[in-house]
Amino acid sequence: MNDIIREIEAEQLKENLSDFHVGDTVKVYGKIKEGNRERIQVFEGTVLKIQGGSNRTTFTVRKVSNGVGVEKTWPMHSPNVEKVEVVRRGKVRRAKLNYLRDRVGKKAKVKELVK
């Protein structure tokens, strides 16, 4: 039974995923359906967390829009996610950046990883 589920999940995985981590600033190109039209909307922000495994992996992106914090959780292998583009790499030491929700202004920034 477990092998059957694993095979079905393996078929649904995307091969061309961009390599991003927690703390990175990313642009998520998501498909939005409005009536009978479909368009792509860009959501740019900092990756707060990546959780789950296999085809159930999700990632949460946070941005501040008009002074209000907005978070969206995206399934990584969803057909509604066109692509994820890394704008800049972040230098963090944690797996989940929940503390960023309480910070405002420059304190809410993540340092850039310089290689």
Side-chain angles (χ1 to χ4, degrees):
M1 183 72 175
N2 248 351
D3 295 333
I4 297 169
I5 294 171
R6 224 175 265 125
E7 287 177 22
I8 293 170
E9 288 178 350
E11 293 171 3
Q12 297 172 350
L13 296 178
K14 285 185 181 177
E15 284 90 29
N16 55 352
L17 284 177
S18 62
D19 186 36
F20 63 93
H21 303 285
V22 174
D24 293 350
T25 302
V26 295
K27 284 184 181 177
V28 182
Y29 293 83
K31 291 182 185 174
I32 304 269
K33 196 163 193 177
E34 296 172 333
N36 57 357
R37 296 185 326 126
E38 193 173 277
R39 65 183 178 87
I40 292 179
Q41 188 175 39
V42 181
F43 189 88
E44 182 175 348
T46 306
V47 179
L48 286 187
K49 61 184 174 180
I50 300 173
Q51 62 186 16
S54 182
N55 69 339
R56 298 182 202 96
T57 306
T58 60
F59 61 98
T60 302
V61 180
R62 177 181 174 83
K63 74 173 182 178
V64 177
S65 178
N66 296 324
V68 179
V70 179
E71 289 183 18
K72 275 192 178 181
T73 302
W74 302 86
M76 199 169 290
H77 298 282
S78 170
N80 291 333
V81 176
E82 186 71 26
K83 67 178 178 175
V84 179
E85 184 179 295
V86 178
V87 177
R88 54 178 228 146
R89 299 273 179 198
K91 182 181 179 186
V92 293
R93 298 171 68 179
R94 297 177 181 268
K96 295 192 168 54
L97 304 179
N98 294 323
Y99 65 89
L100 286 181
R101 294 176 177 143
D102 302 330
R103 307 229 172 143
V104 180
K106 286 188 178 179
K107 290 187 223 172
K109 279 190 177 178
V110 175
K111 289 185 180 177
E112 189 166 359
L113 182 66
V114 180
K115 287 189 177 181

